[in-house]
C-alpha cells in the first residue's frame, strides 16, 4: 500500500500524456507524450515524445523525440531525435539525429547525424555526419563526414571526408579526403588527397 502511494505521488499524466513511475521513479507525460521512470529515474515526455529514466538516469523526450537515461546517464531527444545516456553519459538527439553517451561520454546528434561518446569522449554528428569519441577523444562529423577521436585525439570529418585522431593526434578530412593523426601528429585530407605535418608528404 505504501509503495502504491509512492507510485501515485510521482505519476503525472497531462493532456493525454502517459506516465509510469516505479520504485521511487518520477515520470511526467504531457500532450500525448510517454514517460517511464524506474528505480529513482526521472522521465519527461512531451508533445508525442517518449522518455525512459532508469536507475537514477534522466530522460527528456519532446516533439516525437525518444530518450533513454540509465545509471545516472542524461538523455534528451527532440524533434524525432534519438538519445541514449548510460553510466553518467550525456546524449542529445535533435531533428532525427542519433546520440549515445556512455561512461561519462558526451554525444550530440543533429539533423540526421550520428554521435557516440564513450569513456569521457566527446562526439558531435551533424547533417548526416558520423562521429565517435572514445577515452577522452573528440570527434566532429559534418555533412556526411566521418570522424573518430581516441585517447585524447581530435578528429573532424566534413563533406564526406574521413578523419581519425589517436593518442593526441589531430586529423581533418574534407570533401572525400582521408586523414589519420597519431601520437600528437597532425593530418589533413582534402578532396581525396591526404597530407601530414609529420612527414610533410603527400599521398593519393
Amino acid at each position: 500500500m505504501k509503495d502504491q502511494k509512492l507510485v501515485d505521488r510521482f505519476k503525472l499524466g497531462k493532456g493525454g500524456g502517459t506516465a509510469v513511475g516505479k520504485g521511487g521513479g518520477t515520470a511526467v507525460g504531457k500532450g500525448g507524450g510517454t514517460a517511464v521512470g524506474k528505480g529513482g529515474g526521472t522521465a519527461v515526455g512531451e508533445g508525442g515524445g517518449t522518455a525512459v529514466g532508469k536507475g537514477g538516469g534522466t530522460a527528456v523526450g519532446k516533439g516525437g523525440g525518444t530518450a533513454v537515461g540509465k545509471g545516472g546517464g542524461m538523455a534528451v531527444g527532440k524533434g524525432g531525435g534519438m538519445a541514449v545516456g548510460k553510466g553518467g553519459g550525456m546524449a542529445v538527439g535533435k531533428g532525427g539525429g542519433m546520440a549515445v553517451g556512455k561512461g561519462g561520454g558526451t554525444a550530440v546528434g543533429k539533423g540526421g547525424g550520428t554521435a557516440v561518446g564513450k569513456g569521457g569522449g566527446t562526439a558531435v554528428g551533424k547533417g548526416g555526419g558520423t562521429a565517435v569519441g572514445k577515452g577522452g577523444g573528440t570527434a566532429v562529423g559534418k555533412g556526411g563526414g566521418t570522424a573518430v577521436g581516441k585517447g585524447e585525439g581530435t578528429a573532424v570529418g566534413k563533406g564526406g571526408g574521413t578523419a581519425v585522431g589517436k593518442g593526441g593526434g589531430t586529423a581533418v578530412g574534407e570533401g572525400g579526403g582521408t586523414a589519420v593523426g597519431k601520437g600528437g601528429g597532425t593530418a589533413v585530407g582534402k578532396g581525396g588527397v591526404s597530407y601530414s605535418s609529420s612527414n610533410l608528404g603527400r599521398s593519393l
Side-chain angles (χ1 to χ4, degrees):
M1 188 66 181
K2 183 178 180 181
D3 289 341
Q4 184 61 47
K5 288 182 178 179
L6 285 174
V7 170
D8 292 341
R9 178 181 176 186
F10 293 110
K11 183 170 62 176
L12 302 172
K14 300 181 180 181
T18 301
V20 178
K22 299 182 180 181
T26 301
V28 179
K30 299 181 180 181
T34 301
V36 179
K38 299 181 180 182
T42 300
V44 179
E46 298 184 3
T50 301
V52 179
K54 299 181 179 181
T58 301
V60 179
K62 298 183 179 181
T66 301
V68 179
K70 299 181 180 182
M74 170 67 182
V76 179
K78 298 182 180 181
M82 171 66 182
V84 179
K86 299 181 180 182
M90 170 67 183
V92 179
K94 298 182 180 181
M98 170 66 183
V100 179
K102 299 182 179 182
T106 301
V108 179
K110 298 182 179 181
T114 301
V116 179
K118 299 181 180 182
T122 301
V124 178
K126 298 182 180 181
T130 301
V132 179
K134 299 181 179 181
T138 301
V140 179
K142 299 182 180 181
T146 301
V148 179
K150 299 181 180 181
E152 306 299 334
T154 300
V156 178
K158 299 181 180 181
T162 301
V164 179
K166 300 181 180 181
T170 301
V172 179
E174 298 183 3
T178 301
V180 179
K182 300 181 180 181
T186 300
V188 179
K190 297 183 179 181
V193 181
S194 297
Y195 301 89
S196 173
S197 65
S198 61
N199 57 17
L200 298 181
R202 183 172 84 172
S203 64
L204 293 178

